[in-house]
Amino acid sequence: MNRFEQAVYDCMKPTEALLEQTTNPLHRKILLNFWRHVHLEGAGLYDQICSDDMMVANPVYRVTWGANPAVIEGRDGVMTFYNSVGDVVLWNSDDRIAVADWGVADELTFNLLGLGAIMQAIGYPVPDADKFYHVQSRQAFIWPYDKNAKLAGEHLYEDKTSLTWEEVDEAELTTAKRVQEIQKELLARLHARFGENFWVYEAEAATA
């Protein structure tokens, strides 16, 4: 296992640590939705992210990656956004995460691993389209949730001053397909640990 694959395996440990010290039922469900969402996204299972039990009917995403900030509205728009990212490996690290009634706030290092041409298309000015790069920047992820612990959007704010990249030798690369396998493995572990529909929360039932 190389360092990039290990980083993917470790990416949700800060969320797990926060969940372990969280007792508020709504907050726990928000964190479990967030945790499951990350693995679903990494596994390419976007339709499950956009399902009725995970997401509100009209989510709003605000994304400031690279040189092309965008606002994406509605589940169809979100699906199009996810499918547009291309053959690149994504993961988070160095998280400082908090949860409240309104959702999740997470300052983290966002990592991308892939071909220079893909990075350039996103808006990262790596020097060679034909070489592979590990691109990093600090970002603030603000994810609003509704009263039923369903995702209402993603607001992703990038600190442009923190942007760095390194060229990666092809011998050290991992592939998007391999990372999808890792994320599916982690998703299966999550389901085995917490049981059926562990992310589902109904506010009315909780207060009855």
Side-chain angles (χ1 to χ4, degrees), residues 66-126:
N68 305 300
V71 178
I72 301 117
E73 297 190 44
R75 292 184 187 176
D76 288 345
V78 168
M79 287 284 289
T80 299
F81 166 68
Y82 284 137
N83 283 300
S84 72
V85 174
D87 191 21
V88 61
V89 174
L90 310 172
W91 74 95
N92 51 291
S93 60
D94 308 307
D95 299 61
R96 299 176 56 146
I97 186 171
V99 62
D101 287 355
W102 58 263
V104 168
D106 191 4
E107 184 187 40
L108 52 84
T109 299
F110 196 69
N111 301 267
L112 302 91
L113 178 68
L115 190 64
I118 297 175
M119 304 302 176
Q120 291 172 354
I122 294 171
Y124 295 125
V126 298

Side-chain angles (χ1 to χ4, degrees), residues 32-187:
L32 288 168
N33 179 299
F34 177 77
W35 191 347
R36 183 171 187 259
H37 179 122
V38 171
H39 291 325
L40 288 171
E41 185 174 339
L45 302 173
Y46 308 135
D47 57 332
Q48 294 187 47
I49 293 174
C50 296
S51 63
D52 289 339
D53 60 354
M54 286 285 291
M55 180 181 282
V56 301
N58 190 41
V60 178
Y61 281 39
R62 298 180 181 276
V63 183
T64 65
W65 293 349
N68 305 300
V71 178
I72 301 117
E73 297 190 44
R75 292 184 187 176
D76 288 345
V78 168
M79 287 284 289
T80 299
F81 166 68
Y82 284 137
N83 283 300
S84 72
V85 174
D87 191 21
V88 61
V89 174
L90 310 172
W91 74 95
N92 51 291
S93 60
D94 308 307
D95 299 61
R96 299 176 56 146
I97 186 171
V99 62
D101 287 355
W102 58 263
V104 168
D106 191 4
E107 184 187 40
L108 52 84
T109 299
F110 196 69
N111 301 267
L112 302 91
L113 178 68
L115 190 64
I118 297 175
M119 304 302 176
Q120 291 172 354
I122 294 171
Y124 295 125
V126 298
D128 194 326
D130 297 319
K131 294 183 177 179
F132 291 88
Y133 294 92
H134 174 205
V135 175
Q136 295 181 298
S137 63
R138 289 296 285 176
Q139 297 190 20
F141 278 24
I142 310 299
W143 287 26
Y145 280 79
D146 76 355
K147 67 179 183 179
N148 291 314
K150 295 180 182 181
L151 182 68
E154 296 184 17
H155 305 164
L156 314 181
Y157 303 113
E158 183 177 39
D159 174 8
K160 309 294 187 185
T161 69
S162 68
L163 179 65
T164 61
W165 59 77
E166 63 168 336
E167 185 180 332
V168 178
D169 189 277
E170 290 189 44
E172 195 181 9
L173 288 173
T174 189
T175 65
K177 182 179 179 180
R178 172 58 186 142
V179 169
Q180 285 187 350
E181 293 171 352
I182 293 172
Q183 294 284 19
K184 287 177 181 177
E185 175 189 338
L186 294 170
L187 181 65

